[in-house]
């Protein structure tokens, strides 16, 4: 079963990794806010179907979500609406390979906000955070034209919102994760759809495009999380997070293969720094705290 769990963890990372390059393609026909709505709705609809098809496997004794969690759930949904929209805007304005690396900044945002809230982290972890910050700065500036890459900036802002979410919704971590993700999916999906309608974003006329978005949301956000949960129960949080940390780098490879995007010297430098920073972080955080910040995206 342990070998199966390793496969689940790697597959979870792979499924989340497909999000950026495919979202880049779908963004041509689906505006960013509507894209956010359909992705999250797809994750919720898909997971709720799996939940009722395999209910016995999911009922493992976790606490169910209750009305006492309403404040955390609302804040979680609001932060994810903002983060999802910003990230999809960033993907539209920047290359998929660069946006794939940007997702690592969520680790930095989560750790820094935790420190502000009173938590302590080691000097080694600060080193890893600093390296990731430098890599993100390298990505954020176009040295050839001496201009800021606004797509990367939007992506960084999205990870900061997810960093806040990871800190303010900690008490939900003891609740049934499948229920949490289903509630998040419907909440963010419906909320984003209402925003898209309110700002008069151009509606998606192609039913096929909507279906593609829903399917991507199910695999990248829904099934990916489900496999992560299954793997964590046999491998533990630390080992599962180490496998999941592969996701941004898998996304880079997929972006190169699917979109044919080129690699600049600037990107290669950022990639090397990002790998070094993630390696330091994954090998420093205590086992009780090691988990991928993208887990409930």
């Amino acid at each position: 079963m342990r070998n199966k769990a390793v496969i689940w963890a790697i597959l979870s990372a792979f499924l989340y990794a497909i999000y950026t390059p495919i979202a880049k393609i779908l963004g041509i026909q689906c505006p960013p806010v509507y894209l956010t709505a359909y992705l999250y709705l797809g994750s919720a609809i898909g997971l709720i179907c799996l939940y009722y098809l395999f209910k016995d496997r999911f009922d493992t004794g976790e606490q169910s979500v209750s009305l006492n969690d309403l404040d955390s759930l609302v804040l979680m949904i609001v932060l994810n609406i903002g983060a999802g929209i910003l990230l999809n805007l960033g993907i539209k304005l920047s290359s998929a390979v660069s946006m794939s690396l940007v997702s690592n900044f969520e680790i930095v945002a989560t750790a820094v906000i935790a420190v502000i809230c009173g938590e302590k982290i080691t000097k080694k972890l600060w080193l890893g955070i600093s390296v990731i910050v430098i890599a993100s700065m390298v990505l954020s500036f176009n040295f050839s034209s001496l201009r800021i890459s606004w797509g990367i900036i939007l992506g960084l802002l999205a990870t900061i919102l997810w960093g806040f979410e990871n800190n303010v919704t900690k008490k939900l971590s003891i609740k049934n994760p499948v229920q949490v993700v289903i509630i998040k999916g419907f909440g963010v999906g419906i909320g984003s759809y209402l925003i898209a309608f309110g700002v008069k974003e151009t509606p998606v006329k192609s039913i096929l495009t909507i279906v593609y978005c829903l399917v991507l949301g199910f695999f990248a956000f829904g099934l990916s999380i489900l496999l992560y949960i299954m793997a964590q129960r046999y491998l533990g949080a630390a080992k599962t997070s180490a496998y999941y940390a592969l996701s941004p780098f898998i996304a880079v490879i997929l972006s190169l293969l699917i979109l044919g995007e080129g690699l600049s010297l600037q990107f290669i430098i950022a990639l090397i720094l990002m790998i070094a920073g993630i390696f330091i972080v994954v090998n420093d955080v205590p086992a009780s705290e090691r988990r991928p910040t993208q887990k409930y995206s």
Side-chain angles (χ1 to χ4, degrees), residues 9-82:
I10 295 175
L11 186 55
S12 173
F14 176 82
L15 288 175
Y16 185 78
I18 68 176
Y19 161 62
T20 304
I22 302 301
K24 180 75 174 179
I25 296 172
L26 291 174
I28 298 173
Q29 294 181 308
C30 187
V33 186
Y34 275 118
L35 178 58
T36 302
Y38 292 132
L39 288 172
Y40 276 94
L41 286 172
S43 70
I45 294 170
L47 265 188
I48 202 168
C49 292
L50 285 179
Y51 184 79
Y52 283 103
L53 283 173
F54 305 99
K55 192 172 183 179
D56 293 339
R57 296 190 179 186
F58 294 138
D59 290 337
T60 55
E62 290 103 338
Q63 297 182 38
S64 295
V65 175
S66 66
L67 287 176
N68 293 329
D69 303 311
L70 185 60
D71 56 340
S72 295
L73 289 170
V74 170
L75 190 54
M76 173 188 71
I77 289 170
V78 170
L79 288 169
N80 272 274
I81 289 174

Side-chain angles (χ1 to χ4, degrees), residues 156-193:
L156 292 173
L157 290 175
T159 63
I160 291 173
L161 290 183
W162 273 315
F164 274 108
E165 184 216 359
N166 293 329
N167 281 277
V168 301
T169 59
K170 286 182 180 179
K171 71 177 185 178
L172 292 176
S173 64
I174 63 173
K175 299 304 175 76
N176 187 314
V178 178
Q179 292 180 0
V180 172
V181 176
I182 289 173
I183 292 171
K184 173 183 285 189
F186 280 121
V188 177
I190 294 172
S192 299
Y193 196 93

Side-chain angles (χ1 to χ4, degrees), residues 19-293:
Y19 161 62
T20 304
I22 302 301
K24 180 75 174 179
I25 296 172
L26 291 174
I28 298 173
Q29 294 181 308
C30 187
V33 186
Y34 275 118
L35 178 58
T36 302
Y38 292 132
L39 288 172
Y40 276 94
L41 286 172
S43 70
I45 294 170
L47 265 188
I48 202 168
C49 292
L50 285 179
Y51 184 79
Y52 283 103
L53 283 173
F54 305 99
K55 192 172 183 179
D56 293 339
R57 296 190 179 186
F58 294 138
D59 290 337
T60 55
E62 290 103 338
Q63 297 182 38
S64 295
V65 175
S66 66
L67 287 176
N68 293 329
D69 303 311
L70 185 60
D71 56 340
S72 295
L73 289 170
V74 170
L75 190 54
M76 173 188 71
I77 289 170
V78 170
L79 288 169
N80 272 274
I81 289 174
I85 293 172
L86 287 172
L87 187 62
N88 285 326
L89 280 169
I91 291 173
K92 185 175 183 178
L93 296 174
S94 185
S95 69
V97 290
S98 295
M99 291 302 297
S100 298
L101 283 187
V102 163
S103 61
N104 285 310
F105 194 80
E106 187 176 339
I107 297 172
V108 173
T110 302
V112 171
I113 294 169
V115 170
I116 294 173
C117 293
E119 292 189 20
K120 295 181 178 180
I121 62 176
T122 66
K123 292 182 179 179
K124 187 176 181 181
L125 184 54
W126 272 121
L127 174 61
I129 289 172
S130 300
V131 174
I132 295 173
V133 169
I134 293 172
S136 299
M137 291 173 64
V138 171
L139 280 175
S140 302
F141 192 76
N142 189 328
F143 292 96
S144 60
S145 61
L146 299 180
R147 292 181 180 178
I148 293 175
S149 173
W150 290 109
I152 298 298
I153 297 298
L154 291 174
L156 292 173
L157 290 175
T159 63
I160 291 173
L161 290 183
W162 273 315
F164 274 108
E165 184 216 359
N166 293 329
N167 281 277
V168 301
T169 59
K170 286 182 180 179
K171 71 177 185 178
L172 292 176
S173 64
I174 63 173
K175 299 304 175 76
N176 187 314
V178 178
Q179 292 180 0
V180 172
V181 176
I182 289 173
I183 292 171
K184 173 183 285 189
F186 280 121
V188 177
I190 294 172
S192 299
Y193 196 93
L194 292 174
I195 291 174
F197 183 80
V199 300
K200 298 181 179 180
E201 193 175 58
T202 305
V204 183
K205 297 181 180 180
S206 170
I207 299 298
L208 190 59
T209 298
I210 295 175
V211 172
Y212 286 151
C213 293
L214 293 172
V215 172
L216 175 61
F218 167 63
F219 282 103
F221 291 170
L223 188 56
S224 173
I225 294 167
L226 177 61
L227 289 170
Y228 177 89
I229 295 167
M230 294 169 60
Q232 191 179 46
R233 286 173 176 166
Y234 295 98
L235 298 177
K239 287 187 178 296
T240 308
S241 68
Y243 287 114
Y244 200 90
L246 295 171
S247 183
F249 306 105
I250 296 174
V252 169
I253 296 172
L254 291 176
S255 297
L256 293 172
L257 293 176
I258 296 173
L259 302 174
E261 295 179 345
L263 293 180
S264 64
L265 177 60
Q266 178 181 342
F267 175 83
I268 293 173
I269 293 172
L271 177 62
I272 294 171
L273 289 171
M274 199 71 78
I275 291 173
I278 294 299
F279 180 81
I280 294 171
V281 169
V282 169
N283 284 279
D284 179 76
V285 182
S288 60
E289 298 178 10
R290 288 186 197 168
R291 62 176 184 266
T293 53

